[in-house]
Amino acid sequence: MGKLIIDAHSHLWLRQDTEVDGQAIRSLDNNPSRSLFFGEERQMLPPFMIDGKNTAEVFLSNMDYAQVGAAVVVQEIIDGQQNDYLLQVQQQYPDRFFCMGMPEFRFGNDYLAEAIRLMDLGFRGLAIPGHRLTDIPLNSPRMMQLFQEMERRDVVLDMCLADDARQIGEMAEVIQQCPRLRVAIGHFGMVTTPHWRDQILLAREGENVRIESGGITWLFNSEFYPYPSAVRSIREAADMVGMDRLMWGSDYPRTITAITYKMSYDFITKSNELTKEEKVLFLGENAKRFYGFGPLPDLPYIKNMSE
């Protein structure tokens, strides 16, 4: 299969401490691997991350072990803004990480001015969690100004959409109006929800649109490893838009509270539903071209003590 594996959807943070819809989301002081999440205690990190920090160094250790050459780090409102930290990560590990900035869209903030500031600081991509911003039309004049400026600067847009139909037409208009804007649609179109195929079909709206599978093991968690329905959905999406438009993503670290990091992709390598060539494209080649990664480290397989 070759060794080029790139994760197109991951997260890093130093501490969760934010508010969403009036509810606190924060790491718990007595057990920082867990968080208060919309009124519930959740295992947000694997239990061995006992300081509550989801750092680049721990992720790199997981990446090296799983032979993942590089990763795209996106952001989500539930983790709080991590712009300062991710800018440091990008500067420290430029060959291994492609980090996305995230403007604050809430609380009356001037998100356009903040987005421009983040791009001026050097972020080559911006993450917009559209599924949590449904009160702001994606095709509104100010949002279109943002997308046009991103297109002009060749800054990548990572967009997660709501799991209903309301944002799909808006996103199609953005793609049509900004044909050179590189767009990655996250969470594989929320594949376990009714409108996922409509999100996948957005990849037909423009040459620079891709779909990444971040969180697909979470969405099929009730089925669990080796996720045969997830593989079938990848097969169906490839038949709809072409495998060259699809990219693997893990949604690290939340997904590895249930499975290991390597398991978040090796169910694909072991499947007979996809050809060898399709696996190579999906697991790394497409992301390498789309994000412009350069040479990646050679990561040989290291035997476990249990082998």
Side-chain angles (χ1 to χ4, degrees), residues 139-196:
N139 57 351
S140 64
R142 196 143 180 87
M143 287 293 280
M144 290 302 298
Q145 279 185 269
L146 170 56
F147 297 137
Q148 288 162 359
E149 182 64 16
M150 291 176 67
E151 180 185 38
R152 187 183 72 81
R153 296 179 184 228
D154 193 26
V155 170
V156 178
L157 168 63
D158 181 88
M159 173 67 73
C160 291
L161 299 174
D163 59 11
D164 54 26
R166 61 188 134 169
Q167 291 180 326
I168 295 172
E170 297 173 2
M171 194 67 231
E173 183 176 338
V174 171
I175 294 165
Q176 292 159 9
Q177 294 297 316
C178 302
R180 297 185 308 279
L181 178 64
R182 286 184 286 164
V183 180
I185 305 295
H187 294 160
F188 218 64
M190 293 300 291
V191 62
T192 54
T193 62
H195 296 280
W196 77 276

Side-chain angles (χ1 to χ4, degrees), residues 1-3 5 7 46 48 58-69 216-217 225-227 248-253 255-271 282-283 299-304 306-307:
M1 266 209 49
K3 298 177 181 177
I5 303 176
D7 188 342
F48 53 79
V58 173
F59 191 20
L60 280 170
S61 181
N62 274 282
M63 289 166 62
D64 290 350
Y65 173 79
Q67 299 176 282
V68 175
I216 198 168
T217 62
Y225 188 88
Y227 307 107
W248 168 69
S250 71
D251 211 8
Y252 174 99
T255 47
I256 67 165
T257 58
I259 57 176
T260 68
Y261 184 48
K262 187 173 183 180
M263 288 168 70
S264 66
Y265 75 79
D266 76 350
F267 74 95
I268 296 166
T269 66
K270 294 174 180 176
S271 172
F282 183 70
L283 291 174
L299 300 171
Y301 177 73
I302 305 299
K303 291 180 67 174
N304 294 316
S306 57
E307 293 181 84

Side-chain angles (χ1 to χ4, degrees), residues 16-33:
Q16 282 189 316
D17 188 4
T18 190
E19 181 181 301
V20 179
D21 296 333
Q23 299 190 69
I25 299 176
R26 64 173 184 269
S27 303
L28 297 179
D29 292 331
N30 63 336
N31 188 339
S33 69

Side-chain angles (χ1 to χ4, degrees), residues 219-261:
L219 289 163
F220 286 101
N221 183 66
S222 60
E223 180 181 85
F224 207 63
Y225 188 88
Y227 307 107
S229 296
V231 176
R232 286 193 292 270
S233 71
I234 295 168
R235 171 75 275 154
E236 182 177 352
D239 293 340
M240 292 165 62
V241 300
M243 187 60 80
D244 61 324
R245 301 297 181 94
L246 309 180
M247 304 182 295
W248 168 69
S250 71
D251 211 8
Y252 174 99
R254 282 180 271 270
T255 47
I256 67 165
T257 58
I259 57 176
T260 68
Y261 184 48

